[in-house]
Amino acid sequence: MSKNSDSKPFSDWNGTPPASSYWDGFFEYHANDIYSPDTNNRTVIWTGQDADFTGLDTSYWMKLDSYQSGSRNLEWVNYEYVTYYLNRHTIEAMYHQLDLSAALHGEAKRWFMGIDLSKRAGRRKGYGDLAAFSICAVLVNKKSKERDYHPNQLDENKDPYFRRVELCLDSALGFDKSSIRKSYGEYEAEYRKKLVLDYSYQRFERAEKFHPMPPGEEGGI
């Protein structure tokens, strides 16, 4: 083999990396960049309620999934990816709870995922759920011809799905009607303007689907 200035020596996992911080240097030298892992993995390790882990250690598989998905690398956590993952599930859970039409799913997700929740409402606990609810409510109010919801309506006139989630926001997270009206007003005003969203989250999206595939499908375990 001819010598090349760009060539790298054989990587021996039993060797000692040339770095002052042992583990940082070990993974950067012998593997991928631990701070920018490849999150577009093709394998899905299913840990849903219908997963069969009879005789197996569930925590082991959940930990393995976090490693290969890019959210964790031993003691390091990819917080940016974890935030994306949690936000994605928040808005998906919300529009399913509210029974939004499929036509509004994408728009609700783009709006919610494109805002910085950390800069809103003092990062109060549960604010993400309130924001997701408000976004869905504004979209239904502005774009749906079949359904009607506004926080100022009488309770008996409200869409039953929205009314049920309203009660949950109050009882579980302490967002009363006044808080919901205020949040709705803020997002309604934002909707009237040209939305300025950050789409950088899309780099974390898996190549196949947003939703993990159930056992038995291609790429699932």
Side-chain angles (χ1 to χ4, degrees), residues 124 168-176 179:
R124 175 180 170 181
C168 291
L169 289 172
D170 188 1
S171 62
L173 298 173
F175 293 111
D176 57 15
S179 300

Side-chain angles (χ1 to χ4, degrees), residues 11-31:
S11 293
D12 181 1
W13 277 88
N14 293 315
T16 301
S20 56
S21 175
Y22 180 78
W23 288 112
D24 272 12
F26 186 83
F27 284 105
E28 289 186 24
Y29 184 71
H30 292 299

Side-chain angles (χ1 to χ4, degrees), residues 37-41 64-72 81 206:
D38 177 14
T39 56
N40 291 320
N41 52 286
L64 185 62
D65 183 47
S66 70
Y67 290 165
Q68 68 97 34
S69 70
S71 62
R72 180 180 292 272
Y81 175 69
R206 290 181 174 181

Side-chain angles (χ1 to χ4, degrees), residues 34-65:
I34 62 174
Y35 303 107
S36 304
D38 177 14
T39 56
N40 291 320
N41 52 286
R42 299 292 300 181
T43 303
V44 174
I45 300 176
W46 187 256
T47 57
Q49 293 183 348
D50 56 344
D52 183 8
F53 285 98
T54 304
L56 299 176
D57 182 1
T58 308
S59 62
Y60 166 79
W61 291 101
M62 295 180 71
K63 184 183 294 185
L64 185 62
D65 183 47

Side-chain angles (χ1 to χ4, degrees), residues 7 20 143 147 158:
S7 64
S20 56
K143 294 200 167 190
R147 302 176 66 186
K158 290 178 179 177

Side-chain angles (χ1 to χ4, degrees), residues 18-134:
S20 56
S21 175
Y22 180 78
W23 288 112
D24 272 12
F26 186 83
F27 284 105
E28 289 186 24
Y29 184 71
H30 292 299
N32 60 297
D33 176 8
I34 62 174
Y35 303 107
S36 304
D38 177 14
T39 56
N40 291 320
N41 52 286
R42 299 292 300 181
T43 303
V44 174
I45 300 176
W46 187 256
T47 57
Q49 293 183 348
D50 56 344
D52 183 8
F53 285 98
T54 304
L56 299 176
D57 182 1
T58 308
S59 62
Y60 166 79
W61 291 101
M62 295 180 71
K63 184 183 294 185
L64 185 62
D65 183 47
S66 70
Y67 290 165
Q68 68 97 34
S69 70
S71 62
R72 180 180 292 272
N73 194 331
L74 294 184
E75 64 194 79
W76 292 276
V77 178
N78 186 349
Y79 289 105
E80 193 176 7
Y81 175 69
V82 171
T83 297
Y84 152 79
Y85 186 83
L86 293 175
N87 287 348
R88 190 192 84 192
H89 280 276
T90 296
I91 188 61
E92 288 180 345
M94 184 59 70
Y95 64 57
H96 284 303
Q97 286 290 318
L98 295 172
D99 198 32
L100 259 63
S101 65
L104 293 180
H105 288 183
E107 192 164 352
K109 184 178 292 182
R110 284 190 296 273
W111 187 355
F112 182 79
M113 298 293 290
I115 61 178
D116 187 351
L117 292 173
S118 67
K119 296 179 180 179
R120 302 182 181 223
R123 301 179 70 175
R124 175 180 170 181
K125 179 182 178 181
Y127 176 74
D129 297 279
L130 178 62
F133 175 84
S134 301

